[in-house]
C-alpha cells in the first residue's frame, strides 16, 4: 500500500499548523516523523487518522481519500494516540473485544482475533485488569493492540514511546520491527531520535508546519552532513600521520583516538575517497578507514531552529 | 443452524456500544449504589407513609390512599431516572467526545448513527431496570384503591417517554465537543432543564389523576391528547437524536443535512398534530404550544448555525446539485453557516405566518374564543415572536461583528460567545442608562418601555404583563422595530451570505484525482 500525504494544509483560525506538507511511504516502511513541539506532527497524524479535517490537501491510502471517504479509510488505519483515552469500568479484554465488535469482526472469529492480538502484544497476563488501573507502558501496549485489532495496513503512532521505561521502549521497538516485517506501513513520531534512527527506514523532519527533510534515512543523514568524521588507523606511527593530516586543505580537525586518529573533513564521500587516495599515495599503510555515521540527532539539530508557532 | 451459530448470529446483531456500556454499567459502583439506594428509599417511604398516615388516622378504605402513595413513588421513580440515566449517559459521552479527547471509537468503522443509537439503547436498558425495580411497589398501590391498573400503565408509559426525552437531550449535550468550562455550563444547564421537565411531568400526572384518568379513557379526545403528547415527545427525541448524530459525524461530512431534513418533517408532523388536536379538543393553547416548541428549536438552530463552516471540502461539494433549481434548496439544507441561518429564518417566518393565520383566519372559527383570551393569546404569540427576533438580531449582529470588526480575533466556531456578549451588553446597558438619565421616572415606575428595547427580558415582560392601549402600541412597535433590525442585519451580512452562495457549487471535475 502506498500512503501519499498530498499538500496538506491545516489552519486554526489565523495560525497555520500544517503548511503544505507532502511526503509518501509504503508497506513495510517505518517512517520517523520528527520535529520540535508544536511543529505540526500530531495535527498531521490526526488528519491522516481522520480525526481532523485538513483546510486543504488530502491523504491517499492507495486510492482511498481520507477526506472524501473517511469511513473506508477507518478500515485501513490503526491509530495509536500519545495517551489512551479514559475508559472506566472496563477490562483489557472487554476493551479489545469492544473494538473488535466496532470494526465488525464476526462473533465466530472475534474471540480468536482478540486472543491472538493479546498474545502478540503480550497482554494475556493482564487481560482481566481494568484499563484505567494499568501503568503507562501497559496502557501503551493496550493502545497498540487496539490499533491492530482490525489488522490495518497502516499504523499511525503519535509519540508511543513517551513516558515508557527502557524495557517497555525496547519491547515497543521489537514490536515495530515485527509489524514492519508483516508488511505494515508505519508512521511514528518520537522525540527519542537515537531509537527512531535504529528502527526507521525513512524520516520526515518538520518544523513550523513545513517539511524540512524527507526521504530514505541514510540519504537524509549523508545529505545533511556538511562535514564528516573518519576514523583512520595505520600500521605506522600515529604522531607523523596526525601532523601530516593537519596540513591537508579539506581537513577541519584531527584528534588522537585509541590507536589511530579521527579526522573531520569538509565535503561528502568524494572528499573521503580523495583523503584515502592521498594517504595511500604517501605510503601510509592504512588498515582502517571508517567514515563515522552522522546521527539523526545531529541532522535534526542542523536543520531545525527550535521555533514553534 | 446449531445453538453456537445462532448465538454468534445474535451476538453480531448487537450494537457494540450497548454491549460495552452495559458491561460498564454492571461494574459501575455509582450505578449499583444508586439502584440499591433507590430500592431502600422506596421501601422506607412506603413504610414511613403508612406509619405516619396510620398515626394521623388516615382511612385506608378511602378512595385516595393508593393514588397518594402512587404519586410519591412516581416522584421517586421519575426523580431517580431523570437524575441518574440522562446524567450518566451525558457525562459518559461528554468524556469520550470532548474538545481535547476524541475517543478512538469515533475512528472505528461504527457509523455515528450506531454510536448514538447504542448510547440510547444502553440507557433504555438501564431505565427498564429501574422501572422494573419500581413496578412491584407501584402495582401495590392498586390494592390500596384510588388508582386503576390502566392509569398506572399509562402514566408509567408517559414517564418512560419523558425520561427517554431527557436522556436523548443529555446525550445531545454530551456530544457537543467542549472544554471543561463549557462542559460544566452545559451540564448545569441540562440539570436545570431536566428539573423543570421533571416538575412539569409530575404536575401533569398529578393533575390528570386528580381529574380522574380512568373515567376519561373511553373518550376519543382523551386518546387524541395522549397520542398528541406521545407524538410530540417521540418527534422531539428524534430531533435531538439527529442533532447528536450530526455532531459526532466527521467534520468533513454534510452534518447538518439529516438534522435539517428531519426538522422539516418534525415541523410538519407536529404542526399537523397540533392543528388536529386544537380542532378536536377546542383548545387553541395546543397550537400555540407547537408555535412555542418549534420557535425554541429554530432559535437553537440559529445559534448553532452562526458557528458553522463557511466553506466546504470536496466531500460536501461533490454532493452539491449541478441543477440550478435544486442548488438553492440544497444550500438551505446542507452544512453551512449562511444556509443554516436562512433556513431557520425562513422557518421562523413560516411558523408565525401559520400561527397568525390560524388565530385570525377561519381555521379555528368554531372555537369561539373570548376577546380576553384572544388578547392573551396575541400577547403570547408576540412574546414567542420576540424571542425569535431577539435571537436573530443578536446572532446576526455577532456574525457582522466577527466578520467586520474582529475578523482576525474571533474563530467562526466561537461566534456564539460574541452573541452572548452582545446579549449581555443589550441586557445591562438600558438598565444603567435608565438609572442615570431617567432616575425620576424609574423610581415612579414610569419609564418609557422603549428605553429597554435592547433588553429581551424586560421587553417580553412589558408586552405580556402590561395592559392598555399603550402596551398594545409598544407590542406592535417592538415587533416592527425588531423585524426591521433583523432585515437590516441580514442586509449588512448579505456580502458574507453571497460569498458563501458563490462558493457553494460542485467541483469542475467530478472527483479529485488520485495521485
Amino acid at each position: 500500500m502506498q500512503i501519499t500525504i498530498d499538500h496538506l494544509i491545516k489552519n486554526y483560525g489565523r495560525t497555520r499548523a500544517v503548511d503544505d506538507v507532502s511526503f509518501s511511504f509504503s508497506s513495510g516502511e517505518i517512517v520517523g516523523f520528527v520535529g520540535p513541539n508544536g511543529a505540526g506532527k500530531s495535527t498531521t497524524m490526526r488528519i491522516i487518522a481522520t480525526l481532523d479535517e485538513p483546510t486543504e490537501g488530502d491523504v491517499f491510502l492507495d486510492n482511498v481519500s481520507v477526506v472524501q471517504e473517511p469511513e473506508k479509510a477507518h478500515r485501513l488505519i490503526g491509530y495509536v494516540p500519545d495517551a489512551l483515552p479514559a475508559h472506566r469500568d472496563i477490562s483489557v479484554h472487554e476493551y479489545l473485544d469492544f473494538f473488535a465488535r466496532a470494526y465488525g469482526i464476526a462473533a465466530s472469529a472475534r474471540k480468536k482475533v482478540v486472543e491472538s492480538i493479546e498474545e502478540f502484544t503480550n497482554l494475556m497476563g493482564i487481560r482481566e485488569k481494568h484499563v484505567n488501573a494499568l501503568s503507562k507502558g501497559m496502557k501503551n501496549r493496550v493502545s497498540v493492540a487496539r490499533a491492530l485489532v482490525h489488522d490495518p495496513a497502516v499504523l499511525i503512532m503519535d509519540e508511543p514511546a513517551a513516558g515508557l521505561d527502557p524495557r517497555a521502549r525496547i519491547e515497543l521497538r521489537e514490536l515495530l520491527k515485527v509489524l514492519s516485517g508483516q508488511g505494515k506501513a508505519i508512521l511514528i513520531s518520537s522525540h527519542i531520535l537515537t531509537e527512531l534512527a535504529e528502527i526507521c527506514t525513512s524520516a520526515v523532519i518538520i518544523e513550523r508546519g513545513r517539511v524540512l527533510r524527507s526521504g530514505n534515512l541514510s540519504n537524509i543523514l549523508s545529505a545533511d552532513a556538511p562535514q564528516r568524521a573518519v576514523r583512520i588507523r595505520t600500521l605506522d606511527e600515529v604522531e607523523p600521520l596526525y601532523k601530516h593530516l593537519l596540513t591537508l586543505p579539506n581537513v577541519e580537525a584531527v584528534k588522537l583516538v585509541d590507536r589511530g586518529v579521527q579526522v573531520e573533513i569538509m565535503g561528502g564521500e568524494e572528499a573521503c575517497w580523495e583523503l584515502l587516495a592521498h594517504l595511500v599515495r604517501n605510503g601510509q599503510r592504512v588498515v582502517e578507514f571508517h567514515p563515522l555515521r552522522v546521527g539523526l540527532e545531529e541532522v535534526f539539530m542542523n536543520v531545525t531552529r527550535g521555533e514553534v508557532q | 443452524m446449531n445453538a453456537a451459530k445462532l448465538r454468534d448470529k445474535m451476538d453480531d446483531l448487537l450494537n457494540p456500544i450497548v454491549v460495552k456500556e452495559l458491561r460498564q454499567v454492571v461494574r459501575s459502583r455509582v450505578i449499583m449504589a444508586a439502584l440499591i439506594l433507590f430500592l431502600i428509599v422506596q421501601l422506607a417511604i412506603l413504610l414511613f407513609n403508612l406509619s405516619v398516615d396510620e398515626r394521623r388516622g388516615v382511612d385506608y378504605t378511602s378512595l385516595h390512599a393508593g393514588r397518594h402513595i402512587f404519586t410519591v413513588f412516581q416522584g421517586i421513580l421519575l426523580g431517580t431516572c431523570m437524575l441518574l440515566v440522562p446524567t450518566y449517559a451525558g457525562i459518559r459521552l461528554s468524556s469520550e467526545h470532548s474538545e481535547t479527547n476524541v475517543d478512538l471509537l469515533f475512528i472505528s468503522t461504527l457509523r455515528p448513527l450506531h454510536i448514538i443509537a447504542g448510547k440510547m439503547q444502553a440507557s433504555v436498558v438501564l431505565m427498564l431496570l429501574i422501572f422494573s425495580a419500581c413496578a412491584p411497589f407501584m402495582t401495590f398501590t392498586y390494592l390500596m384503591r384510588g388508582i386503576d391498573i390502566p392509569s398506572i400503565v399509562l402514566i408509567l408509559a408517559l414517564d418512560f417517554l419523558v425520561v427517554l426525552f431527557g436522556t436523548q437531550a443529555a446525550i445531545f449535550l454530551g456530544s457537543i465537543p467542549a472544554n471543561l468550562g463549557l462542559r460544566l455550563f452545559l451540564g448545569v444547564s441540562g440539570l436545570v432543564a431536566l428539573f423543570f421537565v421533571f416538575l412539569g411531568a409530575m404536575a401533569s400526572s398529578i393533575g390528570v389523576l386528580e381529574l380522574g384518568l380512568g373515567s376519561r379513557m373511553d373518550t376519543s379526545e382523551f386518546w387524541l391528547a395522549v397520542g398528541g403528547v406521545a407524538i410530540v415527545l417521540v418527534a422531539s427525541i428524534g430531533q435531538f437524536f439527529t442533532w447528536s448524530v450530526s455532531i459526532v459525524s466527521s467534520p468533513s461530512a454534510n452534518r447538518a443535512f439529516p438534522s435539517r431534513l428531519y426538522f422539516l418533517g418534525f415541523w410538519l408532523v407536529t404542526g399537523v398534530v397540533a392543528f388536529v388536536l386544537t380542532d378536536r379538543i377546542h383548545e387553541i393553547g395546543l397550537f400555540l404550544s407547537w408555535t412555542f416548541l418549534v420557535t425554541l428549536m429554530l432559535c437553537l438552530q440559529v445559534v448553532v448555525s452562526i458557528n458553522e463552516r463557511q466553506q466546504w471540502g470536496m466531500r460536501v461539494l461533490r454532493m452539491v446539485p449541478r441543477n440550478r433549481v435544486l442548488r438553492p434548496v440544497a444550500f438551505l439544507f446542507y452544512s453551512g453557516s449562511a444556509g443554516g441561518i436562512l433556513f431557520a429564518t425562513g422557518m421562523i417566518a413560516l411558523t408565525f405566518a401559520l400561527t397568525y393565520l390560524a388565530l385570525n383566519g377561519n381555521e379555528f372559527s368554531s372555537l369561539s374564543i373570548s376577546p380576553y383570551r384572544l388578547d392573551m393569546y396575541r400577547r403570547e404569540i408576540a412574546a414567542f415572536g420576540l424571542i425569535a427576533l431577539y435571537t436573530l438580531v443578536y446572532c446576526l449582529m455577532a456574525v457582522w461583528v466577527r466578520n467586520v470588526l474582529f475578523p482576525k480575533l474571533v474563530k467562526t466556531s466561537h461566534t456564539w460567545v460574541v452573541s452572548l456578549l452582545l446579549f449581555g451588553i443589550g441586557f445591562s446597558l438600558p438598565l444603567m442608562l435608565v438609572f442615570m438619565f431617567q432616575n425620576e421616572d424609574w423610581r415612579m415606575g414610569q419609564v418609557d418601555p422603549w428605553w429597554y428595547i435592547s433588553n429581551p427580558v424586560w421587553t417580553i415582560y412589558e408586552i405580556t404583563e402590561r395592559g392598555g392601549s399603550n402596551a398594545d402600541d409598544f407590542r406592535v412597535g417592538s415587533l416592527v422595530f425588531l423585524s426591521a433590525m433583523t432585515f437590516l442585519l441580514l442586509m449588512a451580512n448579505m456580502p458574507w451570505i453571497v460569498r458563501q452562495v458563490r462558493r457553494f457549487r460542485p467541483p469542475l471535475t467530478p472527483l479529485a484525482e488520485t495521485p
Side-chain angles (χ1 to χ4, degrees), chain B residues 154-463:
Chain B
L154 187 67
I155 286 180
L156 281 180
L158 287 175
D159 282 351
F160 193 82
L161 273 181
V162 168
V163 180
L164 211 58
F165 171 78
T167 307
Q168 186 53 68
I171 287 175
F172 164 70
L173 290 179
S175 63
I176 297 170
N179 56 30
L180 186 64
L182 183 58
R183 272 154 73 187
L184 277 173
F185 171 74
L186 290 173
V188 171
S189 311
L191 277 175
V192 171
L194 281 177
F195 180 69
F196 280 107
V197 172
F198 165 74
L199 286 185
M202 282 305 295
S204 309
S205 61
I206 290 169
V208 291
L209 278 174
E210 291 284 328
L211 289 170
L213 203 58
S215 60
R216 288 162 189 259
M217 282 190 182
D218 52 355
T219 61
S220 60
E221 282 82 7
F222 173 81
W223 288 109
L224 265 173
V226 170
V229 169
I231 288 172
V232 170
L233 271 173
V234 170
S236 306
I237 292 166
Q239 183 63 72
F240 277 112
F241 182 85
T242 50
W243 280 341
S244 310
V245 171
S246 296
I247 292 172
V248 301
S249 295
S250 162
S252 62
N254 189 3
R255 304 205 280 189
F257 182 61
S259 60
R260 284 188 200 152
L261 205 60
Y262 182 90
F263 182 80
L264 190 66
F266 172 87
W267 186 86
L268 282 169
V269 170
T270 52
V272 169
V273 167
F275 189 88
V276 171
L277 282 178
T278 305
D279 197 42
R280 295 284 182 86
I281 299 174
H282 307 297
E283 174 52 66
I284 201 165
L286 290 167
F287 197 77
L288 298 191
S289 301
W290 172 78
T291 308
F292 184 59
L293 179 70
V294 294
T295 302
L296 281 187
M297 286 185 153
L298 284 164
C299 288
L300 189 61
Q301 292 214 3
V302 174
V303 177
V304 170
S305 293
I306 58 171
N307 308 291
E308 274 193 82
R309 62 199 306 169
Q310 298 170 48
Q311 42 201 356
W312 300 267
M314 283 301 288
R315 197 176 173 192
V316 175
L317 286 179
R318 68 179 175 157
M319 293 193 296
V320 173
R322 292 184 181 273
N323 183 315
R324 286 179 185 275
V325 180
L326 288 175
R327 203 182 300 168
V329 182
F331 182 74
L332 297 177
F333 282 87
Y334 279 26
S335 285
S337 191
I341 292 171
L342 291 179
F343 171 80
T345 310
M347 292 300 287
I348 287 171
L350 205 56
T351 303
F352 280 94
L354 278 177
T355 307
Y356 179 83
L357 281 177
L359 201 65
N360 296 291
N362 295 323
E363 280 73 15
F364 298 130
S365 54
S366 62
L367 302 187
S368 60
I369 308 162
S370 69
Y372 170 74
R373 289 195 74 188
L374 194 63
D375 181 56
M376 191 183 79
Y377 289 145
R378 282 188 176 143
R379 286 182 196 201
E380 283 178 4
I381 295 169
F384 303 159
L386 284 178
I387 291 171
L389 286 170
Y390 273 114
T391 309
L392 280 168
V393 165
Y394 280 115
C395 285
L396 287 169
M397 204 181 282
V399 170
W400 186 82
V401 166
R402 179 198 68 197
N403 289 342
V404 178
L405 301 183
F406 304 109
K408 291 181 181 175
L409 197 68
V410 184
K411 282 166 73 175
T412 306
S413 56
H414 289 164
T415 315
W416 65 274
V417 180
V418 182
S419 68
L420 207 61
L421 284 172
L422 290 171
F423 173 80
I425 294 168
F427 183 91
S428 49
L429 195 64
L431 301 176
M432 288 189 274
L433 292 177
V434 165
F435 184 76
M436 284 190 289
F437 301 113
Q438 297 282 310
N439 202 284
E440 198 62 34
D441 288 350
W442 175 65
R443 282 189 207 168
M444 306 280 286
Q446 289 175 342
V447 180
D448 188 333
W450 282 102
W451 276 92
Y452 296 110
I453 191 66
S454 67
N455 184 324
V457 178
W458 200 282
T459 309
I460 290 167
Y461 172 78
E462 274 291 329
I463 68 149

